[in-house]
Amino acid sequence: MSNMIVHSSTRNTRRKAPRRRTAYLKELILPSDEHRFVGRIYDLSIVAYSFDTYEEMAQYPDCLYALNVNNVLSALTRRMDSLNHVADTLWLEDRFVVGPNLPVTRFEWLNICADIFLMRYVSLFDCALLLVNEVFEASIRPQICSIKNLKKTGVPEAVVAVLKEMDNAISELRNERNERFH
């Protein structure tokens, strides 16, 4: 009888179904390895198993390229997946992670989780920069890999624009992270 409309001669009344319990703060983070690009790079990098040594494989630039792109892409997907671990402890469900035997309060636990989430989330951008650096073979040292330096090496403007959008989207979170850690 949920959401059943009862008609009467003078008015219509609606009976509402019982309210479902809402899981507040529940977010879904897409699995990082379901994108075609990720699958294709994983497939291509399997060629590394055909060689006994890195030096032997390095003689084949295409194989080396696939392996190098796979390495930075794997770092990005691990970082993305690590957000799910933090989210599992942050987003409340029917139970709460902090029990009476742990030496932290719920407030402290949430602060710890928020700190970890901020660090990992903001670092996704750094991983994206490194991936672009590797895909476009820009040869920028990881320590100085930035949008500005990628642009100087000729990375397409469309890719630079996406990186700028990402950077703008996380700028507030980066500021919060910096306030917490610096």
Side-chain angles (χ1 to χ4, degrees), residues 90-131:
L90 247 184
W91 293 320
L92 306 175
E93 292 183 2
D94 292 340
R95 59 182 166 69
F96 194 77
V97 176
V98 178
N101 297 333
L102 288 176
V104 295
T105 66
R106 289 180 182 196
F107 177 77
E108 291 166 336
W109 180 257
L110 289 173
N111 272 318
I112 292 165
C113 292
D115 288 349
I116 295 168
F117 188 83
L118 281 170
M119 289 298 291
R120 290 180 177 186
Y121 187 76
V122 171
S123 73
L124 279 173
F125 178 69
D126 297 331
C127 292
L129 288 173
L130 296 176
L131 177 61

Side-chain angles (χ1 to χ4, degrees), residues 40-54 56-58 60-68 70:
R40 185 71 176 138
I41 295 299
Y42 286 173
D43 289 346
L44 290 172
S45 66
I46 201 165
V47 73
Y49 293 114
S50 299
F51 301 97
D52 293 326
T53 65
Y54 180 84
E56 184 184 341
M57 185 193 55
Y60 300 91
D62 292 346
C63 296
L64 185 59
Y65 175 80
L67 182 66
N68 289 340
N70 181 56

Side-chain angles (χ1 to χ4, degrees), residues 26-33 77-91 93 116-117 120-121 124:
K26 183 67 178 174
E27 294 289 332
L28 298 175
I29 297 175
L30 297 175
S32 61
D33 59 356
T77 57
R78 278 191 309 274
R79 179 62 64 217
M80 184 67 196
D81 291 341
S82 75
L83 290 177
N84 291 323
H85 301 304
V86 177
D88 288 343
T89 62
L90 247 184
W91 293 320
E93 292 183 2
I116 295 168
F117 188 83
R120 290 180 177 186
Y121 187 76
L124 279 173

